[in-house]
Amino acid sequence: MLAFFFAAISGYLVWNYGSSNNPISGLTLTTLVVTALIMVLMGVDQQHGGVAAVLGVAAIVCVAAAVAGEMLQDLKAGHILAVRPGKCS
């Protein structure tokens, strides 16, 4: 669920402000903190794979945010240049 939410945030910020403002690091750190808090509240500790789970979730969110930002930047550039995918010859 965090991946969808943060991908939408990343896409919105790239669409609104440009590719240099893709906040992948901030979204990944926020995911680490939120996921770690959820795991602690659920009672998961280091012996039960808590660290690996938190890092796995953060990796997935990081990749989702990066792909969303890159895709919307490509679509934005195509829209500005009036490029249509079928007419790329």
Side-chain angles (χ1 to χ4, degrees):
M1 184 168 136
L2 284 174
F4 292 115
F5 180 67
F6 286 145
I9 290 174
S10 175
Y12 174 76
L13 290 174
V14 168
W15 169 77
N16 205 16
Y17 300 111
S19 66
S20 63
N21 294 322
N22 196 357
I24 294 172
S25 60
L27 295 175
T28 304
L29 290 175
T30 304
T31 302
L32 282 170
V33 171
V34 169
T35 307
L37 287 174
I38 290 171
M39 293 288 185
V40 167
L41 292 175
M42 291 174 46
V44 178
D45 57 2
Q46 291 181 356
Q47 284 80 22
H48 295 103
V51 174
V54 169
L55 291 176
V57 170
I60 291 169
V61 170
C62 181
V63 170
V67 169
E70 188 269 334
M71 179 60 72
L72 280 177
Q73 185 63 28
D74 287 348
L75 293 173
K76 179 180 169 183
H79 177 71
I80 290 171
L81 298 173
V83 176
R84 293 186 182 150
K87 306 222 177 200
C88 291
S89 52

